[in-house]
Amino acid sequence: EVQLVESGGGLVQPGRSLKLSCAASGFTFSNYYMAWVRQAPKKGLEWVATISTSGSRTYYPDSVKGRFTISRDNAKSSLYLQMNSLKSEDTATYYCARHGGILRAPFAYWGQGTLVTVSS
Amino acid sequence: VQMTQSPSYLAASPGESVSISCKASKSISNNLAWYQEKPGKANKLLIHSGSTLQSGTPSRFSGSGSGTDFTLTIRSLESEDFAVYYCQQYNEYPPTFGGGTKLELK
């Protein structure tokens, strides 16, 4: 059974940093592109970052480019999101998601999310 | 690519059939997915490639469309179907989602 379990969320002040983790199991982690998707309170879903199978290629929307860094450790079946210079508008539940085996694929599996609150 | 879903809210009764529309601001071929969101559960991929049911999706769900106009139809609603539904295009980056449709019990 595919499982994605996020951790690392919490309350953080504007301008500070936070690192999220996602532990994956139930599939061969190194075979899949992985992503982070977020959902602000009472808002829709927003894609945040994607990383290739080897980690050599990463993709971001303009809203987080230069502030967020996605990475992975295939030996540990783990995905990470380093978030720097956090803003109030980054407040959201962050979901770890598994793509298909290629970049242009839907998010086949999701975790239950970890809440990040950016506030002073 | 902007994705516009309608309606935002939909009230129906068990046994009824409902349809949700999703329109893309430009052609996305058939690179469209539908997801179900329920409280306390991980989001679930229901349909990909516009009309292909993901493994485990009940056959009462169906998807149609290509290009810019897509529809999710749920026949004979069951109690577990009351949830929020999102469409998403993955034809080009950034992948984008519709605003969601909340399907409520009438």
Side-chain angles (χ1 to χ4, degrees):
Chain A
E1 179 194 5
V2 172
Q3 285 204 318
L4 299 168
V5 180
E6 304 92 340
S7 61
L11 175 63
V12 60
Q13 293 179 328
R16 303 297 290 264
S17 298
L18 198 64
K19 187 173 185 177
L20 306 183
S21 299
C22 171
S25 61
F27 64 101
T28 305
F29 183 74
S30 58
N31 286 352
Y32 293 90
Y33 281 66
M34 297 294 296
W36 290 95
V37 179
R38 68 184 180 184
Q39 186 171 31
K42 302 198 184 301
K43 299 284 189 181
L45 297 164
E46 179 188 18
W47 166 74
V48 172
T50 288
I51 189 167
S52 64
T53 53
S54 66
S56 61
R57 294 183 301 277
T58 56
Y59 309 83
Y60 307 94
D62 289 344
S63 58
V64 307
K65 195 176 295 183
R67 299 189 299 122
F68 288 13
T69 302
I70 188 172
S71 61
R72 65 191 296 162
D73 184 336
N74 285 343
K76 294 183 177 180
S77 294
S78 292
L79 180 72
Y80 307 100
L81 185 68
Q82 176 68 46
M83 304 185 293
N84 298 333
S85 303
L86 282 161
K87 306 176 182 179
S88 58
E89 52 262 43
D90 295 319
T91 293
T93 297
Y94 285 73
Y95 299 99
C96 169
R98 195 195 89 175
H99 274 283
I102 59 174
L103 176 61
R104 293 199 312 175
F107 302 111
Y109 293 94
W110 299 62
Q112 295 207 23
T114 187
L115 177 62
V116 173
T117 303
V118 183
S119 174
S120 55
Chain B
V1 180
Q2 191 166 353
M3 305 302 292
T4 303
Q5 255 183 268
S6 62
S8 298
Y9 296 93
L10 187 54
S13 301
E16 292 183 349
S17 294
V18 297
S19 291
I20 299 169
S21 170
C22 181
K23 294 184 184 294
S25 60
K26 60 191 282 190
S27 178
I28 57 170
S29 185
N30 67 339
N31 293 313
L32 183 104
W34 290 97
Y35 301 92
Q36 180 188 65
E37 175 190 274
K38 297 176 82 170
K41 292 194 170 185
N43 291 347
K44 182 181 177 184
L45 172 64
L46 297 173
I47 290 170
H48 63 88
S49 305
S51 60
T52 302
L53 265 60
Q54 177 73 349
S55 175
T57 300
S59 59
R60 62 181 180 275
F61 289 86
S62 64
S64 63
S66 66
T68 60
D69 291 348
F70 299 85
T71 302
L72 172 69
T73 299
I74 313 171
R75 294 181 292 104
S76 301
L77 279 166
E78 299 195 6
S79 57
E80 68 227 40
D81 300 334
F82 293 94
V84 180
Y85 293 88
Y86 292 94
C87 63
Q88 179 234 335
Q89 69 81 20
Y90 52 92
N91 189 63
E92 61 181 65
Y93 265 64
T96 44
F97 294 87
T101 296
K102 186 172 185 179
L103 175 58
E104 297 180 318
L105 184 62
K106 188 186 289 183

